[in-house]
Amino acid sequence: MFEPVSPVRAYERVVEQIEEAVFAGRLKPGSRLPSERDLMTQFGVSRSTVREALRVLQSNGMVQSRAGDPRGPEVLPASPKTLRKSMSRLVRAESMSLAELLQFRMLMEGSAYQLAARLRTDAQLSEMEAALRAMADATGHAAFSDADVAFHDAVARATQNTLIVVCSNVVRGVVLDSIADSLANATDQQALMRAYLKHHSDVLQAIRDRDGSLAAQLARQALYDYYGRHLSAADQNLLATLVTS
Amino acid sequence: MFEPVSPVRAYERVVEQIEEAVFAGRLKPGSRLPSERDLMTQFGVSRSTVREALRVLQSNGMVQSRAGDPRGPEVLPASPKTLRKSMSRLVRAESMSLAELLQFRMLMEGSAYQLAARLRTDAQLSEMEAALRAMADATGHAAFSDADVAFHDAVARATQNTLIVVCSNVVRGVVLDSIADSLANATDQQALMRAYLKHHSDVLQAIRDRDGSLAAQLARQALYDYYGRHLSAADQNLLATLVTS
DNA sequence: CAGTATTTGTCCGTATGTATC
DNA sequence: GGATACATACGGACAAATACT
């Protein structure tokens, strides 16, 4: 019948009002909020309350205040930064297994590559080719990994879907965090890198030909070959069936 | 040669330390933080600084303080609530379109249904059948929607992948947030619900038969038919090609 | 059940470092 | 370089809310 009520703090109402003004467009990105002292009088609350509200808004990536700036706190444009932060937090807290992460990444990147093969522009194709050359020219593992990130990022951007870009980015980062040391200490590192490079070259050709299904399958295969060794036999079998799906 | 430095506020360092303790498992969900006065002395900062840090942690869903509780702020378990909040924010700020959201959901649920068709147990199949019956028996829109959620959740759980469960849940919630009013005010609501129910029945049969590809395609088709009307013609064309992929 | 002690929520005042004009 | 206004951080204070005895 009735809903339980929770007391609404003063700082929360300040947050709500400023949030609402931003969403309604009355406060555009780049514009400035009144100073903390002005906000005190406008909201009729103390300085501490205003500050707590500003800290919350800052933590959510909506405003940014700098000490001594007479123009007041800046209203920031919406960005997926906080989305990435909260997703990373969740992944870390849930302590998900590497198999789950890798499975998710195979599904996600498979879809991403399929879309990218259809929607990519010539300029984006050039970006991917440049990243692939950087991978081939890379001497150390760090440079190779950076170029790899650039390649995947170019593909994700080609999908023109913010969520795919962010999710791919986050999951890739978490996977790397989990087994970065294993990769760096691999005995047959050179052979792995060559095989990985070959995979990317094949994928790129599929994207060039706008063959989405092939690109998706090759992308899943590359992930499986590169990371699958770190899984149990049972998990390897499960993921192997995903490659050709 | 040198990296640019940005001043690190006192409250941020407090946040970092508490966050790190939670991630490292030294602070488990349900346990209590020291009182604000104890935190003052432990961190060597003023009470305002401690409070700003606690507000940030509370905004991120990691702790919860209640006025007058001598046990101190409670450490909360990880929850996808903030993930959903930040994603909704991006949509409201119009830096992410409904088309992107729906596209992502079609990819995600397609993969989920494919996996679920392979991995589902008989018990999970029974859950889905029960949810489908609840949808058929539902009188109002609210009950119908609740049963729909239960159905999708049972499918997501059948994948045995936490990330898929969470992401599906979050994206579904954000989509509903965006167009809940449009759905509730639809003139041909009854017809929509009947068509939606028929789709689910077909999908369930595919899951029963362990036909992953068919289940995935039917799931994408259901989403397109149910939500596609809210998109522009160009976006509809793009998503239509996704259905049969 | 009531009293008490503790904690949070909020306010005020002040000192200090900083960015802009 | 100086003046001004700002954010940062500190300390003290009181009322409301909560838990425990």
Side-chain angles (χ1 to χ4, degrees), chain B residues 97-112:
Chain B
S97 67
L98 178 61
E100 280 181 85
L101 213 53
L102 207 49
Q103 182 180 52
F104 188 84
R105 193 176 165 196
M106 285 173 71
L107 298 177
M108 169 89 44
E109 297 224 348
S111 300

Side-chain angles (χ1 to χ4, degrees), chain B residues 36-37 47 51 68:
Chain B
E36 293 183 359
R37 285 173 180 78
R47 181 140 171 252
R51 286 184 59 78

Side-chain angles (χ1 to χ4, degrees), chain A residues 36 47 51 55 66-68:
Chain A
E36 293 185 358
R47 186 87 186 279
R51 286 183 62 78
R55 291 293 88 84
R66 284 192 330 231

Side-chain angles (χ1 to χ4, degrees), chain B:
Chain B
M1 181 69 186
F2 294 113
E3 294 290 324
V5 294
S6 61
V8 180
R9 311 292 177 205
Y11 81 93
E12 287 187 39
R13 312 193 61 173
V14 175
V15 168
E16 284 171 13
Q17 286 200 45
I18 298 181
E19 256 184 353
E20 206 276 336
V22 172
F23 285 142
R26 295 196 301 275
L27 284 174
K28 296 186 193 312
S31 65
R32 301 305 183 116
L33 255 54
S35 73
E36 293 183 359
R37 285 173 180 78
D38 286 344
L39 289 174
M40 287 177 54
T41 64
Q42 292 192 33
F43 286 108
V45 296
S46 77
R47 181 140 171 252
S48 316
T49 304
V50 170
R51 286 184 59 78
E52 290 176 17
L54 287 178
R55 291 295 84 84
V56 170
L57 291 169
Q58 188 163 15
S59 158
N60 292 347
M62 303 191 62
V63 305
Q64 167 107 24
S65 344
R66 284 200 315 268
D69 193 334
R71 296 169 299 183
E74 181 181 0
V75 178
L76 298 179
S79 129
K81 224 180 102 181
T82 60
L83 186 62
R84 175 169 170 175
K85 206 173 64 178
S86 50
M87 204 179 287
S88 293
R89 230 198 300 269
L90 275 183
V91 175
R92 286 189 62 184
E94 290 177 359
S95 92
M96 191 161 62
S97 67
L98 178 61
E100 280 181 85
L101 213 53
L102 207 49
Q103 182 180 52
F104 188 84
R105 193 176 165 196
M106 285 173 71
L107 298 177
M108 169 89 44
E109 297 224 348
S111 300
Y113 278 70
Q114 185 145 23
L115 260 183
R118 292 188 197 169
L119 302 178
R120 59 98 181 151
T121 64
D122 289 343
Q124 286 161 340
L125 189 62
S126 301
E127 283 185 50
M128 301 176 202
E129 287 166 344
L132 189 63
R133 279 194 302 275
M135 284 175 73
D137 296 343
T139 53
H141 186 267
F144 183 81
S145 185
D146 285 349
D148 180 37
V149 169
F151 184 88
H152 283 85
D153 224 50
V155 174
R157 280 199 312 275
T159 66
Q160 296 181 318
N161 188 309
T162 312
L163 258 183
I164 291 179
V165 175
V166 171
C167 284
S168 300
N169 216 308
V170 168
V171 176
R172 182 195 335 115
V174 176
V175 169
L176 286 180
D177 282 350
S178 306
I179 55 172
D181 44 352
S182 302
L183 284 180
N185 298 334
T187 55
D188 50 353
Q189 197 172 337
Q190 292 297 325
L192 265 178
M193 279 165 58
R194 272 196 304 274
Y196 198 55
L197 192 58
K198 174 65 164 61
H199 271 131
H200 279 59
S201 174
D202 294 342
V203 169
L204 187 55
Q205 185 59 45
I207 294 178
R208 208 178 277 123
D209 298 338
R210 298 196 183 277
D211 186 341
S213 300
L214 181 60
Q217 179 175 339
L218 289 174
R220 288 190 294 261
Q221 182 76 51
L223 286 174
Y224 179 77
D225 289 349
Y226 198 54
Y227 296 108
R229 319 177 306 133
H230 301 86
L231 300 179
S232 69
D235 286 336
Q236 284 188 19
N237 287 335
L238 174 59
L239 291 191
T241 65
L242 276 186
V243 171
T244 57
S245 76

